[in-house]
Amino acid sequence: MTTASAQAGWRFKKPSVIPGFGLTLGFALVYLTLIILIPLSGLAWRSASLGWTDFWAIATDRRTINALKISFGTALAAAAVNVVFGTIVAWVLVRYPFPGRRIVDAMVDLPFALPTAVAGIALTTLYAPKGWIGILLAPLGIKIAYTPVGIIVALVFIGLPFVVRTVQPIIEEIDKEVEEAAATLGATRWQTIARVLFPGLAPAIVTGFALAFARGVGEYGSVIFIAGNLPNVSEIAPLLIIIRLEEFNYPAATAIAAIMLVISFAMLLVINLLQAWSRKRYG
Amino acid sequence: MADPVLFAADPNPEIASGITESRPARWGLMAIAFIFLTLFLVLPLVLVFMEASRKGLGYFFETLGEPDTLSAIQLTLLVAAISVPLNLVFGVAAAWAIAKFEFKGKAFLTTLVDLPFSVSPVISGLVYVLLFGAQSALGPWLKANGIEILFAVPGIVLATIFVTFPFVARELIPLMEEQGTGDEEAAISLGANGWQTFWYVTLPNIKWGLLYGVLLCNARAMGEFGAVSVVSGHIRGQTNTMPLHVEILYNEYNAAGAFAVASLLAGLALVTLALKTLLEMRYGAEIAATRGH
């Protein structure tokens, strides 16, 4: 079949006896174009028609730059927190049998299932100065809700399952014999973890970090309640887009969205390259 | 690190200490994991239900019985009832084309399917405002013809479809790729037509994976906040979905009311998680390709 089609020259599709290719591909393409591609290219077209001077003026506006810095900075910090604790959670879930493990494992997906607005008001109430956790921290002079730290708390919640669910299957796949070999050759447990196990987990950890980071940058619902939303201090980029829209300042909303999208797509590319690289290297 | 006393039962303590952590290390890691999960997952969830019942069950049901709340619940159900089936049909069609055939540009198409996941929900709403808003090319025409998309139900549905677009497709594509084309080719060669092949051969193979995707798609459709917030216009009793209603009540300092509505959404999340776990336990093999990356 392969050689036959190669002899026949360039072909869009390999021959197959299964019907329905035209119908399903056609429907999928039309739907994709109408729902995703046309609206997104509308955004691209609108930001391109802004002109470079206008675009640059919006992009270098102090409030815009600060909002982007806050969004990307807090997402970075939250992803870093999640890498540490998410990996520990994944390790505990795979390696240490304990009663109720199935329930704890299911709970990890809560941020995927719980609407972001619900998470937002719950975390705010919890970490506010009079909340269950906030009241313990208040005497120490630590404020979480209505500060940038609050944004990080919300993004840690949102990003946790990305790290756990990326790292967990890789820990499950680790061949115990590798650890036994390291141990019989005289490695301490710490050496085995650092030199044998960690290199195998590193690509998954990096991917989990990138996924949590990408999700955190665009997150809106869980953040706006806890952030306090002070311009230049705790105002995230998606909120600034909404504020500009409410002011009918469409060029500014469009430009900020375009900047965020370009950075997000660059990150998507990096994630895909990382995954391809880790698959190639670790099969 | 080695602690021979604790591993006394093990036939070879030296090896045992090399392939697992010492007991204090294990307890320490478990404590860190549990404290972390309690602070970030368990307490927020418990708090939702505690706050919802704070003013008593009477107030709880009073809030849920208010016309604005009822209309928010109705709108949320309506939006999910439209957007989930559409994304289901798309997911099956896209997975059929991508998984059962070899064609040029397949990898690119698969990437495009995942695109909405890397777009901020707020931008997902914004693109429709730019497309249909009063300032757009279409805006004046829509207004002249009395067609309402923005700040009305169609806009909310469109934004929800955008955000939940990949869920079903991304569950089915790897699953159907793993299953290959052998079953379908056999059915066709035995004289089945395309529809019969899909209905009697493919669908039974993918039904649990499909249900899994629909479950996640539905949870997101009912809970979406950012995208819907941009296009809805927040008209009470008309274009308010449940998550938006939570926000309104919360901003009115009606915390008990906000948490009452939020507890319904949290209940939905718990049901989703329970069904998801059940599916993974019972039909893990049939949805296996969807787990991990």
Side-chain angles (χ1 to χ4, degrees):
Chain A
M1 282 265 276
T2 325
T3 46
S5 64
Q7 279 161 3
W10 192 90
R11 257 177 204 276
F12 171 61
K13 163 184 167 283
K14 269 195 197 170
S16 164
V17 295
I18 301 172
F21 178 70
L23 179 73
T24 54
L25 184 71
F27 175 77
L29 284 179
V30 169
Y31 190 76
L32 177 80
T33 308
L34 287 179
I35 299 288
I36 309 292
L37 298 183
I38 291 180
L40 271 184
S41 45
L43 175 74
W45 185 74
R46 287 288 279 270
S47 52
S49 62
L50 274 179
W52 185 243
T53 354
D54 285 354
F55 187 88
W56 190 248
I58 297 163
T60 53
D61 174 64
R62 181 164 161 263
R63 198 166 163 190
T64 309
I65 289 181
N66 282 327
L68 287 168
K69 266 190 198 162
I70 292 160
S71 274
F72 284 90
T74 52
L76 204 64
V81 171
N82 272 330
V83 158
V84 176
F85 292 98
T87 307
I88 293 176
V89 169
W91 184 263
V92 168
L93 282 176
V94 176
R95 286 299 177 93
Y96 305 154
F98 58 88
R101 181 159 73 166
R102 179 68 74 176
I103 293 169
V104 176
D105 189 89
M107 275 292 292
V108 169
D109 278 335
L110 182 71
F112 283 156
L114 192 71
T116 51
V118 178
I121 62 169
L123 288 169
T124 309
T125 310
L126 204 56
Y127 288 89
K130 287 188 177 165
W132 296 351
I133 298 175
I135 209 161
L136 302 175
L137 299 173
L140 308 171
I142 302 170
K143 260 194 88 182
I144 290 184
Y146 319 120
T147 70
V149 184
I151 304 178
I152 298 175
V153 167
L155 296 183
V156 167
F157 173 86
I158 291 298
L160 175 69
F162 289 96
V163 175
V164 177
R165 294 300 181 230
T166 316
V167 176
Q168 195 177 14
I170 311 297
I171 297 179
E172 277 166 3
E173 277 169 20
I174 292 174
D175 198 347
K176 281 252 181 189
E177 284 170 15
V178 178
E179 290 167 71
E180 284 165 10
T184 47
L185 290 171
T188 64
R189 184 61 187 158
W190 176 243
Q191 285 172 325
T192 308
I193 290 174
R195 304 248 185 105
V196 180
L197 297 179
F198 183 74
L201 294 180
I205 292 175
V206 174
T207 308
F209 175 86
L211 290 171
F213 179 50
R215 173 69 204 264
V217 167
E219 178 56 23
Y220 173 73
S222 60
V223 173
I224 51 157
F225 296 100
I226 202 170
N229 305 326
L230 267 177
N232 300 314
V233 178
S234 55
E235 181 179 71
I236 53 168
L239 177 64
L240 188 57
I241 293 177
I242 288 193
I243 290 173
R244 294 302 184 220
L245 268 183
E246 283 169 355
E247 296 167 351
F248 301 105
N249 188 349
Y250 294 99
T254 310
I256 301 166
I259 296 168
M260 286 187 70
L261 272 188
V262 167
I263 302 175
S264 300
F265 289 162
M267 278 171 11
L268 184 75
L269 192 71
V270 172
I271 294 171
N272 282 343
L273 289 176
L274 275 173
Q275 281 176 334
W277 171 74
S278 70
R279 258 199 301 274
K280 209 165 111 188
R281 183 149 179 214
Y282 298 97
Chain B
M1 288 290 267
D3 195 345
V5 183
L6 291 174
F7 286 96
D10 206 289
N12 191 338
E14 285 281 308
I15 301 291
S17 68
I19 57 168
T20 185
E21 291 72 51
S22 65
R23 188 169 282 193
R26 272 188 288 168
W27 283 107
L29 285 175
M30 283 177 79
I32 292 171
F34 288 143
I35 291 170
F36 180 78
L37 292 177
T38 306
L39 286 182
F40 283 93
L41 299 183
V42 180
L43 284 180
L45 189 65
V46 173
L47 180 129
V48 170
F49 293 105
M50 296 276 283
E51 291 286 321
S53 54
R54 181 178 241 178
K55 286 194 180 173
L57 279 180
Y59 188 81
F60 177 81
F61 286 112
E62 199 180 301
T63 304
L64 297 188
E66 275 174 13
D68 286 350
T69 311
L70 287 177
S71 102
I73 295 173
Q74 269 176 3
L75 182 59
T76 292
L77 293 176
L78 175 71
V79 169
I82 300 172
S83 50
V84 174
L86 281 173
N87 281 338
L88 166 80
V89 173
F90 163 76
V92 172
W96 182 269
I98 289 173
K100 301 292 175 193
F101 300 94
E102 289 297 327
F103 59 94
K104 301 269 191 287
K106 190 160 121 162
F108 183 62
L109 182 60
T110 315
T111 310
L112 284 184
V113 169
D114 267 349
L115 198 58
F117 276 160
S118 49
V119 175
S120 168
V122 167
I123 299 178
S124 312
L126 170 73
V127 293
Y128 290 108
V129 173
L130 294 179
L131 202 60
F132 299 117
Q135 27 60 46
S136 71
L138 271 175
W141 182 85
L142 289 172
K143 193 163 187 197
N145 288 280
I147 303 170
E148 283 191 322
I149 294 180
L150 281 186
F151 315 128
V153 176
I156 298 175
V157 171
L158 279 172
T160 305
I161 292 178
F162 187 110
V163 171
T164 57
F165 185 85
F167 279 101
V168 178
R170 74 169 337 196
E171 294 300 329
L172 288 185
I173 291 169
L175 179 65
M176 283 167 72
E177 274 179 341
E178 198 181 69
Q179 288 171 348
T181 54
D183 289 1
E184 284 78 12
E185 280 162 3
I188 299 286
S189 69
L190 290 171
N193 65 31
W195 180 246
Q196 288 169 326
T197 306
F198 173 73
W199 196 252
Y200 295 109
V201 177
T202 310
L203 195 58
N205 281 339
I206 61 168
K207 60 178 183 246
W208 299 116
L210 188 66
L211 189 61
Y212 192 86
V214 166
L215 202 63
L216 300 182
C217 184
N218 180 62
R220 182 71 192 265
M222 290 190 171
E224 177 51 30
F225 180 74
V228 170
S229 167
V230 176
V231 296
S232 107
H234 304 268
I235 308 164
R236 270 185 102 131
Q238 284 179 41
T239 61
N240 247 354
T241 61
M242 285 169 77
L244 295 179
H245 197 53
V246 169
E247 183 197 21
I248 288 187
L249 293 174
Y250 187 81
N251 287 343
E252 285 172 348
Y253 301 102
N254 180 358
F259 278 105
V261 180
S263 70
L264 289 188
L265 290 167
L268 169 77
L270 288 181
V271 170
T272 303
L273 285 186
L275 289 174
K276 182 175 167 295
T277 309
L278 197 73
L279 277 177
E280 283 164 5
M281 278 167 70
R282 292 196 60 176
Y283 306 103
E286 282 127 292
I287 53 174
T290 67
R291 297 220 63 188
H293 286 263

